[in-house]
Amino acid sequence: TVRPRETHDPWGRPVVLTLPRWMHVIRRHKELLLMIDDVLDVVTRPDAITPDPMAGRWRYWRAGIGPTKWVRVVVAWQEGLPWIVTAFPTGDDPLDA
């Protein structure tokens, strides 16, 4: 079996990226295929963190690492170990989103 990848948020709390979630990301955003380490690093060293419209989720942002201005990673904190829901490149600015 493929083990989940783990990173930590800026406060040292563990956050998991499972294979099914990574497959979800790269099916929709093939441009991130070779960027798994970058996506994990967005959570560890974000340029910004904003609340997600869905309760219990947060958006982690990093500029200048992807094909667009920003890469956004959504992390769910509702239950159990926090996990990456999705990630994608975006031109949206975290202050406007």
Side-chain angles (χ1 to χ4, degrees):
T1 61
V2 176
R3 298 182 59 135
R5 296 282 302 266
E6 186 176 302
T7 191
H8 293 84
D9 74 1
W11 298 274
R13 300 174 294 189
V15 176
V16 181
L17 174 58
T18 63
L19 180 60
R21 294 317 312 168
W22 183 242
M23 296 305 295
H24 163 86
V25 168
I26 61 174
R27 269 195 302 270
R28 288 162 178 75
H29 308 286
K30 292 176 182 24
E31 60 275 27
L32 296 181
L33 178 64
L34 301 177
M35 295 183 62
I36 189 168
D37 291 329
D38 295 304
V39 166
L40 292 165
D41 199 47
V42 169
V43 175
T44 303
R45 298 182 310 118
D47 290 328
I49 302 172
T50 59
D52 189 77
M54 293 189 68
R57 293 184 179 188
W58 289 87
R59 295 172 172 183
Y60 293 69
W61 304 75
R62 173 79 69 74
I65 63 165
T68 58
K69 183 174 181 182
W70 295 91
V71 170
R72 182 192 310 170
V73 179
V74 179
V75 176
W77 291 86
Q78 295 107 323
E79 56 187 63
L81 196 58
W83 53 282
I84 293 174
V85 176
T86 193
F88 53 92
T90 180
D92 294 345
D93 190 284
L95 298 178
D96 298 331

